[in-house]
Amino acid sequence: MEVFLIRLLQFMLAISLLVLLHEGGHFFFSKLFGVRVEKFYLFFDLGIGKWKGQLFKFKPKKSDTEYGVGWLPLGGYCKIAGMIDESFDTEQMKQPVQPWEFRSKPAWQRLLIMIGGVLVNFLLALFIYSMVLFYWGDSYMAMKDMTMGMKFNQTAKDIGFRDGDILMGYDGKTFERFDVDVYRHMADAKTVTVKRGEKEITLNMPEDMSLLTMLKEEPQFARPFIPAEIDSVMPGTPAEKAGLKKGDMIRALNGVEIDSWNEFTHQIGILSDRMTEAKTAKDSLALRQITIAVEHASQSTTDANAKSTEGMAEVAKDTIALTLSPDLLMGVGQTNLYSYYEPTKVEYGFFESFPAGIAYGWNILRGYVNDLKYVFTADGAKSLGGFGAIGSLFPESWDWHRFWLMTAFLSIILAFMNILPIPALDGGHVLFLLYEIITRRKPSENFMIRAEYVGFGILILLMVVANLNDILRWLGYL
């Protein structure tokens, strides 16, 4: 429950900040051009019966704007006079045009009012990235330093990859850092170059590669090779009772050779699948009783032995029987990338951080836009997530570094999604305004109202699908 509340608080804080500034962009340009803003709300004040739906509201003296907080945390809105929007205030549109209304202003001013929110969100994301780089710098794992290479699944091996291959580049370009872009580049590449031993080998990639498939396959297409070396042992656990110590290497599980934590996790996953088929407590207990072959820290020789199971017969190993916990945990801390590699760290001065932040944000946006093509596939539709999926992206404990990175990412998403040419979104209004500027003909109010209803329906449908996916994942159906 504590983790849930921490994530919820971070999510609400980030969304509130982004919505306020997004609507503030519309508000700024409206006031700049003398357009009256009737309501400025964080969250929606959807009325129920006689209750108007406001948790809080106030209207300063000599102000035309009512400020408030609604009860429905699905965004917010800035109600601009003389504009057809999500309020569907058609009665106002029947009145004579007033000079302080949106509809009375030139098309170019209305265009700036409509893109104001997107502009603020995009600039905000770049500013946050810049300040994160200035304050914390950048830290990443350089691909050239990952000398133990990668562990590949069967799909990758069918293409020609081999465990231990070091990813060098794609289509004549170099892999710089280990992040999701590595998978994006491999999914879109025609060729990928790897270092195998002392040789560089170029592999031809199939044309039907999919980023979603690469990441969703179990095990994944490629993941860093991490030796199955125990980093720590938790007290009172099966591992402690079995006498395991820090530095011990797991070499086999139930007779299956283990060369890495990657393989260990895969074998535990197979056990987990079999556990779901267990019909009795006795069956479950039998599955949890495992044997492992262990090379103790005092017997360990070199990192070369840790990297490969070749020559295992010459390594002295103890066979240990133990019973895993009901959730299939042994009670050991696993080593990770940072146990074997030093991350590359880059510091930025104040003025240096801005071009770096712009480049960082642009790369995030480019990757996000590139991934949208998967939304129109069956797997892509299943991968859509709602508020639960977004909230789960925040860290389990409060971490300002990750909070601001996540807030910037959401700001970019909010900017891009809002500029899509869908009625009811800013992009829909922009589309109709561009049509008016080019043709010098203004769409009729009846058309605009109908388009708003259609767009609003599309948004509701997408929201239902995304949040339904969250529920299905929670129930274990996705």
PDB file of all heavy atoms in Angstrom, residues 43-49 51-54 70-72 77:
ATOM      1  N   PHE A  43      -8.469  19.585 -13.292  1.00  0.00           N
ATOM      2  CA  PHE A  43      -9.426  18.481 -13.235  1.00  0.00           C
ATOM      3  C   PHE A  43     -10.804  18.960 -13.703  1.00  0.00           C
ATOM      4  O   PHE A  43     -11.054  20.169 -13.789  1.00  0.00           O
ATOM      5  CB  PHE A  43      -9.514  17.846 -11.842  1.00  0.00           C
ATOM      6  CG  PHE A  43      -8.200  17.399 -11.283  1.00  0.00           C
ATOM      7  CD1 PHE A  43      -7.960  17.399  -9.913  1.00  0.00           C
ATOM      8  CD2 PHE A  43      -7.182  16.977 -12.118  1.00  0.00           C
ATOM      9  CE1 PHE A  43      -6.747  16.984  -9.393  1.00  0.00           C
ATOM     10  CE2 PHE A  43      -5.955  16.553 -11.609  1.00  0.00           C
ATOM     11  CZ  PHE A  43      -5.739  16.567 -10.242  1.00  0.00           C
ATOM     12  N   PHE A  44     -11.662  18.026 -13.997  1.00  0.00           N
ATOM     13  CA  PHE A  44     -12.977  18.359 -14.542  1.00  0.00           C
ATOM     14  C   PHE A  44     -14.010  18.468 -13.425  1.00  0.00           C
ATOM     15  O   PHE A  44     -14.060  17.626 -12.523  1.00  0.00           O
ATOM     16  CB  PHE A  44     -13.421  17.304 -15.564  1.00  0.00           C
ATOM     17  CG  PHE A  44     -12.590  17.308 -16.813  1.00  0.00           C
ATOM     18  CD1 PHE A  44     -11.758  16.241 -17.122  1.00  0.00           C
ATOM     19  CD2 PHE A  44     -12.626  18.389 -17.688  1.00  0.00           C
ATOM     20  CE1 PHE A  44     -10.978  16.239 -18.268  1.00  0.00           C
ATOM     21  CE2 PHE A  44     -11.847  18.406 -18.832  1.00  0.00           C
ATOM     22  CZ  PHE A  44     -11.024  17.330 -19.127  1.00  0.00           C
ATOM     23  N   ASP A  45     -14.856  19.491 -13.512  1.00  0.00           N
ATOM     24  CA  ASP A  45     -15.905  19.712 -12.519  1.00  0.00           C
ATOM     25  C   ASP A  45     -17.244  19.178 -13.034  1.00  0.00           C
ATOM     26  O   ASP A  45     -18.225  19.911 -13.173  1.00  0.00           O
ATOM     27  CB  ASP A  45     -16.010  21.194 -12.159  1.00  0.00           C
ATOM     28  CG  ASP A  45     -16.242  22.070 -13.377  1.00  0.00           C
ATOM     29  OD1 ASP A  45     -15.862  21.661 -14.498  1.00  0.00           O
ATOM     30  OD2 ASP A  45     -16.817  23.163 -13.218  1.00  0.00           O
ATOM     31  N   LEU A  46     -17.259  17.877 -13.339  1.00  0.00           N
ATOM     32  CA  LEU A  46     -18.470  17.247 -13.853  1.00  0.00           C
ATOM     33  C   LEU A  46     -19.529  17.239 -12.760  1.00  0.00           C
ATOM     34  O   LEU A  46     -19.331  16.656 -11.695  1.00  0.00           O
ATOM     35  CB  LEU A  46     -18.159  15.822 -14.311  1.00  0.00           C
ATOM     36  CG  LEU A  46     -19.295  15.029 -14.955  1.00  0.00           C
ATOM     37  CD1 LEU A  46     -19.724  15.683 -16.263  1.00  0.00           C
ATOM     38  CD2 LEU A  46     -18.875  13.582 -15.195  1.00  0.00           C
ATOM     39  N   GLY A  47     -20.657  17.886 -13.024  1.00  0.00           N
ATOM     40  CA  GLY A  47     -21.714  17.993 -12.033  1.00  0.00           C
ATOM     41  C   GLY A  47     -22.493  16.706 -11.846  1.00  0.00           C
ATOM     42  O   GLY A  47     -22.663  15.932 -12.777  1.00  0.00           O
ATOM     43  N   ILE A  48     -22.967  16.483 -10.624  1.00  0.00           N
ATOM     44  CA  ILE A  48     -23.808  15.329 -10.302  1.00  0.00           C
ATOM     45  C   ILE A  48     -25.038  15.852  -9.570  1.00  0.00           C
ATOM     46  O   ILE A  48     -24.945  16.325  -8.437  1.00  0.00           O
ATOM     47  CB  ILE A  48     -23.063  14.304  -9.423  1.00  0.00           C
ATOM     48  CG1 ILE A  48     -21.797  13.811 -10.115  1.00  0.00           C
ATOM     49  CG2 ILE A  48     -23.981  13.122  -9.090  1.00  0.00           C
ATOM     50  CD1 ILE A  48     -20.960  12.876  -9.272  1.00  0.00           C
ATOM     51  N   GLY A  49     -26.193  15.800 -10.245  1.00  0.00           N
ATOM     52  CA  GLY A  49     -27.409  16.348  -9.651  1.00  0.00           C
ATOM     53  C   GLY A  49     -27.289  17.849  -9.462  1.00  0.00           C
ATOM     54  O   GLY A  49     -26.904  18.585 -10.377  1.00  0.00           O
ATOM     55  N   TRP A  51     -25.125  19.184  -7.413  1.00  0.00           N
ATOM     56  CA  TRP A  51     -23.721  19.509  -7.109  1.00  0.00           C
ATOM     57  C   TRP A  51     -22.999  19.852  -8.398  1.00  0.00           C
ATOM     58  O   TRP A  51     -23.032  19.099  -9.367  1.00  0.00           O
ATOM     59  CB  TRP A  51     -23.054  18.328  -6.414  1.00  0.00           C
ATOM     60  CG  TRP A  51     -21.638  18.624  -5.968  1.00  0.00           C
ATOM     61  CD1 TRP A  51     -21.218  19.705  -5.279  1.00  0.00           C
ATOM     62  CD2 TRP A  51     -20.489  17.810  -6.200  1.00  0.00           C
ATOM     63  NE1 TRP A  51     -19.867  19.645  -5.054  1.00  0.00           N
ATOM     64  CE2 TRP A  51     -19.389  18.473  -5.610  1.00  0.00           C
ATOM     65  CE3 TRP A  51     -20.272  16.595  -6.839  1.00  0.00           C
ATOM     66  CZ2 TRP A  51     -18.106  17.965  -5.643  1.00  0.00           C
ATOM     67  CZ3 TRP A  51     -18.983  16.088  -6.862  1.00  0.00           C
ATOM     68  CH2 TRP A  51     -17.915  16.758  -6.271  1.00  0.00           C
ATOM     69  N   LYS A  52     -22.339  20.978  -8.415  1.00  0.00           N
ATOM     70  CA  LYS A  52     -21.674  21.477  -9.622  1.00  0.00           C
ATOM     71  C   LYS A  52     -20.352  20.767  -9.921  1.00  0.00           C
ATOM     72  O   LYS A  52     -19.824  20.900 -11.020  1.00  0.00           O
ATOM     73  CB  LYS A  52     -21.420  22.987  -9.493  1.00  0.00           C
ATOM     74  CG  LYS A  52     -22.701  23.809  -9.336  1.00  0.00           C
ATOM     75  CD  LYS A  52     -23.613  23.642 -10.540  1.00  0.00           C
ATOM     76  CE  LYS A  52     -24.853  24.526 -10.415  1.00  0.00           C
ATOM     77  NZ  LYS A  52     -25.752  24.351 -11.576  1.00  0.00           N
ATOM     78  N   GLY A  53     -19.816  20.054  -8.945  1.00  0.00           N
ATOM     79  CA  GLY A  53     -18.617  19.280  -9.216  1.00  0.00           C
ATOM     80  C   GLY A  53     -17.313  19.952  -8.842  1.00  0.00           C
ATOM     81  O   GLY A  53     -16.248  19.412  -9.097  1.00  0.00           O
ATOM     82  N   GLN A  54     -17.387  21.158  -8.223  1.00  0.00           N
ATOM     83  CA  GLN A  54     -16.137  21.839  -7.851  1.00  0.00           C
ATOM     84  C   GLN A  54     -15.722  21.464  -6.432  1.00  0.00           C
ATOM     85  O   GLN A  54     -16.534  21.471  -5.511  1.00  0.00           O
ATOM     86  CB  GLN A  54     -16.295  23.363  -7.922  1.00  0.00           C
ATOM     87  CG  GLN A  54     -16.632  23.877  -9.290  1.00  0.00           C
ATOM     88  CD  GLN A  54     -18.113  24.217  -9.428  1.00  0.00           C
ATOM     89  OE1 GLN A  54     -18.922  23.886  -8.577  1.00  0.00           O
ATOM     90  NE2 GLN A  54     -18.451  24.884 -10.522  1.00  0.00           N
ATOM     91  N   GLY A  70     -11.663  20.689  -9.998  1.00  0.00           N
ATOM     92  CA  GLY A  70     -12.766  19.751 -10.097  1.00  0.00           C
ATOM     93  C   GLY A  70     -12.452  18.451  -9.386  1.00  0.00           C
ATOM     94  O   GLY A  70     -11.348  18.245  -8.873  1.00  0.00           O
ATOM     95  N   TRP A  71     -13.407  17.545  -9.367  1.00  0.00           N
ATOM     96  CA  TRP A  71     -13.230  16.286  -8.633  1.00  0.00           C
ATOM     97  C   TRP A  71     -12.739  15.140  -9.524  1.00  0.00           C
ATOM     98  O   TRP A  71     -12.243  14.141  -9.017  1.00  0.00           O
ATOM     99  CB  TRP A  71     -14.559  15.854  -8.006  1.00  0.00           C
ATOM    100  CG  TRP A  71     -15.613  15.456  -9.020  1.00  0.00           C
ATOM    101  CD1 TRP A  71     -16.489  16.281  -9.647  1.00  0.00           C
ATOM    102  CD2 TRP A  71     -15.859  14.135  -9.523  1.00  0.00           C
ATOM    103  NE1 TRP A  71     -17.285  15.581 -10.518  1.00  0.00           N
ATOM    104  CE2 TRP A  71     -16.931  14.258 -10.458  1.00  0.00           C
ATOM    105  CE3 TRP A  71     -15.313  12.888  -9.282  1.00  0.00           C
ATOM    106  CZ2 TRP A  71     -17.426  13.159 -11.157  1.00  0.00           C
ATOM    107  CZ3 TRP A  71     -15.819  11.794  -9.979  1.00  0.00           C
ATOM    108  CH2 TRP A  71     -16.868  11.932 -10.889  1.00  0.00           C
ATOM    109  N   LEU A  72     -12.861  15.293 -10.855  1.00  0.00           N
ATOM    110  CA  LEU A  72     -12.525  14.193 -11.764  1.00  0.00           C
ATOM    111  C   LEU A  72     -11.123  14.406 -12.329  1.00  0.00           C
ATOM    112  O   LEU A  72     -10.917  15.242 -13.216  1.00  0.00           O
ATOM    113  CB  LEU A  72     -13.556  14.129 -12.892  1.00  0.00           C
ATOM    114  CG  LEU A  72     -13.479  12.928 -13.835  1.00  0.00           C
ATOM    115  CD1 LEU A  72     -13.687  11.627 -13.064  1.00  0.00           C
ATOM    116  CD2 LEU A  72     -14.513  13.046 -14.951  1.00  0.00           C
ATOM    117  N   TYR A  77      -9.187  22.056 -17.929  1.00  0.00           N
ATOM    118  CA  TYR A  77      -9.647  22.802 -19.095  1.00  0.00           C
ATOM    119  C   TYR A  77      -9.618  24.305 -18.849  1.00  0.00           C
ATOM    120  O   TYR A  77      -9.620  24.784 -17.708  1.00  0.00           O
ATOM    121  CB  TYR A  77     -11.043  22.361 -19.520  1.00  0.00           C
ATOM    122  CG  TYR A  77     -12.164  22.753 -18.575  1.00  0.00           C
ATOM    123  CD1 TYR A  77     -12.952  23.881 -18.820  1.00  0.00           C
ATOM    124  CD2 TYR A  77     -12.440  21.987 -17.450  1.00  0.00           C
ATOM    125  CE1 TYR A  77     -13.982  24.231 -17.964  1.00  0.00           C
ATOM    126  CE2 TYR A  77     -13.470  22.325 -16.588  1.00  0.00           C
ATOM    127  CZ  TYR A  77     -14.240  23.443 -16.848  1.00  0.00           C
ATOM    128  OH  TYR A  77     -15.251  23.804 -15.996  1.00  0.00           O
TER     129      TYR A  77
END
